[in-house]
Amino acid sequence: MYFVSASTGLVSQGYYYANQVDKEISQLGNYYLRSKISFNGGSEWNLIEPPKSFNFEKCNTCSPGASLQDCSLHLHGPTSWMAPEGPHPNLYSIESAPAILLATGNAGSHLDFHPDGDCTYMSQDGGNTWQDIAENTSIYELSNAGGTIVYASHRSEGPTNQLFFSLDYGQCFHQVKLSEP
């Protein structure tokens, strides 16, 4: 396996996430990445299941009935901050909120680096299941042991005059309009 970015111990010891070069379709100078997750210390790596249903149509780029091989969730990792197409916020969690993960990425056959290809995703169970929470690239923060979640459009999306927050571990998000971007 050839990994280009990885995060370790996201939820607890033994949980790992990585982006792997897909050797089957990558060619000289063009690398296609696939996100994988391990729940057993790296012994087994699996593609990440996309959401069962999507909150935003833009985030569902998979054909109906597509296999996991053709449609899985791909998340930006630490090296995505330096992507030539522009920075992409990477998978994020905090020690006091061990099961809540936030990330930007896409559902499809591989990780999309085009600026308009990202959605923002959240997992509340350590990466087992995911939901789309924004139809764009967002920046995010967790506090209060994950009870408070805040996100807003990333600067790559242009100026914004709104942010979203949850005070119930991501069960419900509320919008706040700001006076100026």
Side-chain angles (χ1 to χ4, degrees):
M1 288 187 165
Y2 180 68
F3 297 115
V4 294
S5 63
S7 296
T8 61
L10 293 170
V11 179
S12 66
Q13 295 294 343
Y15 282 62
Y16 300 99
Y17 155 84
N19 281 323
Q20 177 187 27
V21 173
D22 186 347
K23 294 178 185 176
E24 292 180 25
I25 62 172
S26 294
Q27 303 165 9
L28 186 61
N30 293 316
Y31 297 100
Y32 293 91
L33 304 179
R34 301 188 78 153
S35 296
K36 295 195 173 183
I37 196 163
S38 173
F39 298 107
N40 59 9
S43 293
E44 282 183 52
W45 289 91
N46 297 302
L47 293 169
I48 302 170
E49 292 272 348
K52 298 288 182 214
S53 62
F54 289 83
N55 296 314
F56 301 97
E57 188 60 35
K58 175 197 177 236
C59 301
N60 184 7
T61 59
C62 297
S63 301
S67 69
L68 187 59
Q69 196 68 18
D70 294 328
C71 179
S72 55
L73 187 60
H74 302 284
L75 307 172
H76 289 284
T79 57
S80 292
W81 279 108
M82 300 171 286
E85 300 84 359
H88 298 268
N90 59 292
L91 183 67
Y92 180 70
S93 185
I94 59 173
E95 192 173 334
S96 65
I100 298 176
L101 305 172
L102 297 166
T104 58
N106 63 282
S109 61
H110 63 277
L111 185 60
D112 188 350
F113 280 88
H114 295 267
D116 62 347
D118 283 344
C119 286
T120 302
Y121 295 90
M122 178 179 69
S123 175
Q124 297 171 303
D125 59 8
N128 285 302
T129 60
W130 293 85
Q131 63 179 324
D132 53 322
I133 60 170
E135 60 182 336
N136 61 6
T137 302
S138 299
I139 56 170
Y140 23 78
E141 188 57 74
L142 299 166
S143 69
N144 192 25
T148 304
I149 303 169
V150 178
Y151 72 88
S153 293
H154 184 264
R155 66 183 168 101
S156 63
E157 299 285 335
T160 186
N161 67 346
Q162 59 187 356
L163 63 87
F164 297 86
F165 72 94
S166 171
L167 299 175
D168 58 5
Y169 300 91
Q171 297 299 312
C172 182
F173 283 95
H174 307 279
Q175 180 182 25
V176 175
K177 293 254 186 201
L178 306 172
S179 59
E180 58 184 75

